[in-house]
Amino acid sequence: MSIDSVFSSLLHRGRLHRAASRNRELAREIQTLEKIDGFGRKWSAANYVGGYSSYSSLDKLHLTSPHFADLQQALEPHLRHFVRKLNWQLLGGKVQMTTCWVNAMGLGTYHPMHTHPGSVISGVYYVQVPRASSPLKIEDPRLSLMMAAPPRRASAPKSERNYLLLAPKPGEFVLFESWMRHEVPPQREQSRRLSVSFNYEWR
Ligand SMILES: [Fe+2]
């Protein structure tokens, strides 16, 4: 007899080198982007209340800014490691970053639950995280299929909980498969929570 753990989901977290100086440069650039990106500010006023995101306006920053290109380079070995762990056969294709944008969350700004359709791996890098900032909340991909199952104990291991809350830390990244539903609950701090989001496609 056996009880096996099957169909696991992988999440890759880590810390980049040179985080303090990288984050100073990125924070400065995010501030500049918010100033010059009128379209993004307008979009954010309607869709990202209390904050600024370049999601709708400047979403290829890894191709247009040396600081974001440097971030992409620093993430690359971690991305390759994650792809190996996922046991993917790339069949001559590559997993490459296709979009990269910034998020500055103010008091009450939130990201509702979502996936990143069209991509295979998505992720986030944290630039500035005021104390008591909102976590990244990841949903168990099986949750919608559990139907009549009883709730789980609060002491259940991480892999068996309905939601996983990851506290952001400056200099840290999270990589996950793009189908994994996630959200950021309303930010509880006036000062900005700064992050960079990105998607990788298989081409
Ligand atoms: Fe997301």
Side-chain angles (χ1 to χ4, degrees), residues 8-63:
S8 65
S9 310
L10 304 185
L11 190 74
H12 186 8
R13 299 173 77 187
R15 185 177 167 79
L16 297 185
H17 296 304
R18 229 175 36 77
S21 62
R22 168 177 286 114
N23 288 353
R24 265 197 306 278
E25 287 158 359
L26 287 173
R28 210 174 303 136
E29 187 154 350
I30 293 170
Q31 213 172 22
T32 305
L33 289 170
E34 183 169 358
K35 269 190 206 136
I36 62 170
D37 180 15
F39 185 91
R41 280 203 314 274
K42 208 168 156 189
W43 184 89
S44 300
N47 299 285
Y48 204 63
V49 177
Y52 162 72
S53 171
S54 72
Y55 172 74
S56 67
S57 46
L58 301 167
D59 72 345
K60 293 196 179 343
L61 292 170
H62 61 305
L63 301 180

Side-chain angles (χ1 to χ4, degrees), residues 32-172:
T32 305
L33 289 170
E34 183 169 358
K35 269 190 206 136
I36 62 170
D37 180 15
F39 185 91
R41 280 203 314 274
K42 208 168 156 189
W43 184 89
S44 300
N47 299 285
Y48 204 63
V49 177
Y52 162 72
S53 171
S54 72
Y55 172 74
S56 67
S57 46
L58 301 167
D59 72 345
K60 293 196 179 343
L61 292 170
H62 61 305
L63 301 180
T64 57
S65 154
H67 294 139
F68 289 88
D70 179 64
L71 175 64
Q72 179 194 10
Q73 282 305 309
L75 287 164
E76 206 51 32
H78 303 285
L79 184 268
R80 285 200 296 272
H81 179 63
F82 193 39
V83 168
R84 275 196 302 278
K85 286 286 183 190
L86 287 164
N87 284 299
W88 284 350
Q89 296 185 80
L90 300 184
L91 305 173
K94 278 186 184 159
V95 174
Q96 50 192 329
M97 190 179 281
T98 49
T99 49
C100 174
W101 67 97
V102 297
N103 312 290
M105 304 180 87
L107 185 65
T109 312
Y110 68 98
H111 284 281
M113 192 62 83
H114 64 284
T115 60
H116 291 218
S119 307
V120 292
I121 292 177
S122 299
V124 61
Y125 173 76
Y126 295 105
V127 175
Q128 182 179 294
V129 182
R131 210 144 39 120
S133 277
S134 300
L136 173 62
K137 184 174 176 182
I138 299 179
E139 185 184 280
D140 182 341
R142 302 163 296 181
L143 193 59
S144 61
L145 305 169
M146 285 175 190
M147 300 177 284
R152 295 197 182 104
R153 290 186 201 102
S155 60
K158 250 195 324 199
S159 59
E160 295 298 329
R161 289 180 203 162
N162 290 352
Y163 295 98
L164 184 63
L165 300 178
L166 301 179
K169 292 195 184 80
E172 287 194 357

